[in-house]
Amino acid sequence: QDMVNESEMYSMKYVMVDFPGNQCTRDYYLKRIEHFFANCDKDSAMLWYTGAAEKGTGNWCFKDGVITFQDVFELYLNHLRGTVLSLVCDCSYSGKWRDECIRKYDE
């Protein structure tokens, strides 16, 4: 279940909290992120990933595949465009996602 933080102490008003289990798949998390983005009615949101990342890409690893920056970016464009998204990647090679974000911004 999503948890919403309405505290005025924080600039982020909508936060998705989920704790991975052994059976969680790439598709499961893509659907969770899509649901999170589609239902965000705040002016800012935060998506935080802590876990394993693919060497050299920073892609988020799950038992059956990876979630790429492009996966998250497309969901953002389709559901959250115009909302400030803070993306926190607590994983190896997370700088690759930062570089992708800068590249997209420059396009």
Side-chain angles (χ1 to χ4, degrees), residues 29-107:
Y29 279 106
L30 283 175
K31 287 177 186 168
R32 292 280 293 139
I33 294 167
E34 182 175 29
H35 180 267
F36 173 62
F37 286 178
N39 291 288
C40 179
D41 61 354
K42 306 298 180 186
D43 58 358
S44 61
M46 176 184 286
L47 181 62
W48 186 308
Y49 174 78
T50 299
E54 185 177 55
K55 184 176 182 178
T57 68
N59 293 336
W60 302 346
C61 295
F62 299 95
K63 72 177 191 170
D64 64 339
V66 298
I67 292 179
T68 67
F69 173 83
Q70 190 62 36
D71 293 331
V72 175
F73 186 71
E74 287 176 10
L75 290 173
Y76 170 80
L77 290 179
N78 291 334
H79 300 286
L80 207 61
R81 185 187 302 236
T83 299
V84 174
L85 174 63
S86 294
L87 187 60
V88 179
C89 302
D90 179 17
C91 57
S92 301
Y93 304 100
S94 60
K96 297 291 186 178
W97 279 40
R98 180 206 58 223
D99 296 345
E100 282 292 309
C101 187
I102 291 168
R103 189 177 66 74
K104 292 288 186 187
Y105 182 76
D106 288 342
E107 288 180 353

